[in-house]
Amino acid sequence: SSPDSDGCTPELEKAGLLNKTKIAEGGRKLRKNWSPSWVVLVGNSLVFFKDPKSQTPSSWKPGNSRPESSVDLRGAQLQWANELSSKKNVFKLRTVTGNEFLLQSETDSLIREWYNTIQNVIDRLDRE
Ligand code: I3S
């Protein structure tokens, strides 16, 4: 049987390296601090890992390393936000709790994939 035949382990949807900065916490604006982050979309959450070098898609397992933070995508909002940065390919993710993140990649196709995949999860949760 498959490793998740009991359905208890959330499905890993996507993982990869993006530039990330948090710009608000609970609605309060924060100073930008861009840094590379290993981003994992699993189940209803976007999970951020600090050390990208120790993470690869094939080595990622739940409990393998401690996430820096994690975002519940239920009720979250996604929008392109190139006006919020001098960088290209930037989108903003806002959680129901008023935390806001900018995510960015130099690679157009990659950032579009991330945008679409996250939006699909948000849409799925909206329908539940
Ligand atoms: O939107 P801002 O404030 O111009 O964002 C830039 C600053 O946060 C800057 O940091 P300091 O002001 O602490 O030096 C960052 O280094 C830049 O990366 C920020 O702008 P971009 O356009 O890269 O998002």
Side-chain angles (χ1 to χ4, degrees):
S1 68
S2 77
D4 188 35
S5 54
D6 61 358
C8 286
T9 308
E11 192 185 341
L12 173 62
E13 309 229 22
K14 197 167 177 58
L17 194 60
L18 294 175
N19 294 314
K20 185 197 81 169
T21 182
K22 194 173 187 179
I23 59 165
E25 166 87 45
R28 270 194 50 183
K29 199 166 178 278
L30 297 175
R31 186 161 185 183
K32 273 184 190 165
N33 182 19
W34 286 102
S35 63
S37 179
W38 186 259
V39 184
V40 176
L41 180 57
V42 61
N44 304 345
S45 299
L46 202 59
V47 187
F48 301 120
F49 291 86
K50 208 162 202 165
D51 179 12
K53 289 181 287 292
S54 69
Q55 301 294 329
T56 67
S58 57
S59 81
W60 188 85
K61 297 178 207 77
N64 201 29
S65 81
R66 213 149 58 84
E68 186 189 11
S69 62
S70 137
V71 165
D72 183 1
L73 292 175
R74 194 178 291 276
Q77 292 177 312
L78 200 61
Q79 59 186 106
W80 292 107
N82 287 312
E83 76 285 1
L84 295 182
S85 175
S86 62
K87 301 182 196 303
K88 68 170 191 171
N89 298 336
V90 175
F91 64 73
K92 181 170 86 174
L93 177 65
R94 186 185 195 282
T95 68
V96 279
T97 56
N99 294 342
E100 296 184 355
F101 300 87
L102 299 182
L103 293 169
Q104 189 266 347
S105 166
E106 289 302 309
T107 309
D108 300 14
S109 56
L110 205 143
I111 200 74
R112 261 187 276 116
E113 274 180 30
W114 272 103
Y115 184 95
N116 291 334
T117 309
I118 294 170
Q119 188 62 63
N120 284 342
V121 172
I122 293 172
D123 290 345
R124 167 169 60 73
L125 292 168
D126 281 348
R127 287 193 304 269
E128 275 180 13

